[in-house]
Amino acid sequence: MPDAIGCIKLPVNRLHLELTNICNFSCEFCPDSKMTRKRGMMPIENAKAIIDQVAEKDIAKSIFFHVMGEPTLYPHLVDVAAHANRKGIATCLTTNGSRLDIRLLSELVDAGVDRIIISLQTPHEETFSLRGTRGLTFGEYSENILNIARQFMTEDGKSSLTISFLSSPLRRLIIPIYPEVSIADTSKDLKKHLQAWADRIIKGSATEGRRSDIAKQIRRICSFRENVVYLSDRLSFRTRIMGDWSIHFDRTNVEASFGYCPAIQDNFGILWNGDYTFCCTDFDGATSTGNVADMPIADYLRSDEVQRTVKGFSRFRVLHKHCRQCLGDKNLLNAIVKQLGSICYFKFLRKGV
């Protein structure tokens, strides 16, 4: 099997396989409400056929069951995950956690899912109001996640569980990204939330003896970067900075001409209807240049538009119109800062995270 397709080295890190773009949340920091494409679910035979291609051609190191949507709404999730495991492909599930109960957790672990990410994001009742839920209180939501985390710590297995939090330190800059939404603006706030959640999870467990080590890790975090806090070998917190994903494409930006993005050679997506996308953040399929029903994955990666885009980024040139909008910003100063920042972030700061 080839170890590269043109300028794309194989296997890429991740294929984002969108089993559904239907979601039971409507978070203000997510573009779910801006999505114009049809809602639906990928036929199970299509999902398995894609997995077969990935395994046969060594396309990706892992499959993430997410672009948009809540994957636990997909009725065949466990079956698809087990199929990937049988094919020797690592898998990751990103979920808002609202439908993840003890039974489903055990089924996913038994199916061989390597990593489960619960996008908690909003750590307390006030920020939970940003999630756009109906009929679910923060108390019910948080208690379910606590039960999942506690249960996970008592079970053996290869799977890992990550609970993900957002911070919004960029609101405090002169050029804020998303000034209307506040989630842990300062490192102090973020540390307070993480410590509270850690204490609730480990209370009364064998892990409680590690509280001082966990607290030491939390004291070192900074809201201006991505952080990882290990509660155990298989359970961790991860924090990341909230971006302007949900509003960035609402306006006409000063387009980027230079910058860097690891999309395609690091990750690409296949939407529920089979359309390809350049990256996992293309929520509306704006970069789609083909469909898996008409073009095998290897042929898609070999296509002129894909190769041209990747080669451009290797020279810090932004060529595709959607990418120029994505790496651009509302005025020239912001656009220049963002383009320079994309190189610093993806080439230096994000390495090893």
Side-chain angles (χ1 to χ4, degrees), residues 18 54 64 66 73 138 145 154 179 197 207 214 221 223 236 238 246 259 276 283 299 307 317 321:
E18 182 187 80
V54 172
F64 281 44
H66 183 255
L73 292 170
F138 177 71
I145 292 178
T154 67
W197 273 91
T207 310
I214 294 168
I221 72 166
S223 62
S236 64
R238 180 177 289 262
S246 66
Y276 293 107
F283 65 90
D299 289 349
Q307 290 289 319
R317 295 177 60 200
K321 184 172 180 59

Side-chain angles (χ1 to χ4, degrees), residues 48-343:
K48 289 184 175 181
I50 290 169
I51 291 169
D52 290 344
Q53 282 192 59
V54 172
E56 181 184 354
K57 301 295 184 181
D58 196 24
I59 296 291
K61 295 177 183 177
S62 60
I63 291 178
F64 281 44
F65 296 121
H66 183 255
V67 175
M68 294 292 288
E70 170 51 45
T72 60
L73 292 170
Y74 186 69
H76 310 294
L77 174 61
V78 174
D79 194 5
V80 170
H83 184 73
N85 185 54
R86 288 192 294 270
K87 293 293 182 175
I89 302 172
T91 53
C92 176
L93 171 72
T94 299
T95 171
N96 60 36
S98 63
R99 294 172 51 85
L100 185 64
D101 55 20
I102 300 298
R103 177 193 59 80
L104 180 56
L105 176 69
S106 297
E107 290 178 354
L108 290 168
V109 170
D110 290 344
V113 173
D114 293 84
R115 185 182 179 194
I116 299 170
I117 301 174
I118 297 179
S119 293
L120 171 63
Q121 313 297 34
T122 50
H124 64 316
E125 188 165 7
E126 181 180 347
T127 51
F128 184 69
S129 64
L130 300 170
R131 308 302 292 274
T133 62
R134 296 179 181 177
L136 180 66
T137 67
F138 177 71
E140 295 167 334
Y141 177 65
S142 58
E143 191 62 33
N144 182 59
I145 292 178
L146 289 170
N147 290 336
I148 291 295
R150 291 166 182 156
Q151 178 68 21
F152 192 84
M153 287 195 301
T154 67
E155 296 184 349
D156 296 325
K158 68 171 186 174
S159 303
S160 66
L161 177 66
T162 298
I163 301 177
S164 178
F165 298 79
L166 283 174
S167 63
S168 53
L170 299 179
R171 290 181 72 251
R172 297 158 51 232
L173 297 180
I174 297 173
I175 312 171
I177 280 182
Y178 200 165
E180 296 85 4
V181 176
S182 172
I183 305 173
D185 290 350
T186 67
S187 296
K188 181 180 178 181
D189 288 340
L190 186 58
K191 292 174 185 179
K192 179 181 71 175
H193 294 315
L194 294 181
Q195 190 64 63
W197 273 91
D199 287 344
R200 293 177 70 187
I201 290 172
I202 67 176
K203 184 178 180 180
S205 73
T207 310
E208 192 168 14
R210 296 191 62 245
R211 187 183 187 280
S212 60
D213 174 66
I214 294 168
K216 184 178 179 181
Q217 293 181 66
I218 291 175
R219 285 195 296 271
R220 290 198 295 261
I221 72 166
C222 173
S223 62
F224 275 95
R225 66 169 185 259
E226 293 186 10
N227 304 273
V228 181
V229 175
Y230 292 97
L231 278 68
S232 71
D233 292 341
R234 298 171 55 234
L235 175 61
S236 64
F237 291 162
R238 180 177 289 262
T239 78
R240 64 181 180 85
I241 299 171
M242 182 184 67
D244 65 348
W245 189 33
S246 66
I247 60 173
H248 187 76
F249 296 94
D250 290 350
R251 59 181 181 258
T252 300
N253 284 337
V254 175
E255 292 189 345
S257 59
F258 71 94
Y260 184 78
C261 178
I264 309 177
Q265 72 267 39
D266 177 78
N267 73 87
F268 65 98
I270 300 178
L271 305 180
W272 73 267
N273 67 346
D275 285 348
Y276 293 107
T277 64
F278 281 2
C279 68
C280 61
T281 62
D282 180 9
F283 65 90
D284 221 15
T287 61
S288 179
T289 58
N291 188 284
V292 71
D294 308 313
M295 182 187 300
I297 299 174
D299 289 349
Y300 166 72
L301 296 177
R302 193 177 291 113
S303 64
D304 291 342
E305 188 68 23
V306 168
Q307 290 289 319
R308 176 177 175 270
T309 301
V310 174
K311 288 176 182 176
F313 279 127
S314 70
R315 301 190 298 271
F316 303 113
R317 295 177 60 200
V318 186
L319 302 178
H320 192 277
K321 184 172 180 59
H322 179 79
C323 302
R324 293 171 73 93
Q325 167 80 0
C326 185
L327 287 176
D329 217 318
K330 58 187 176 183
N331 59 52
L332 182 60
L333 176 60
N334 286 33
I336 291 173
V337 169
K338 187 167 186 179
Q339 291 168 88
L340 290 171
S342 70
I343 297 171

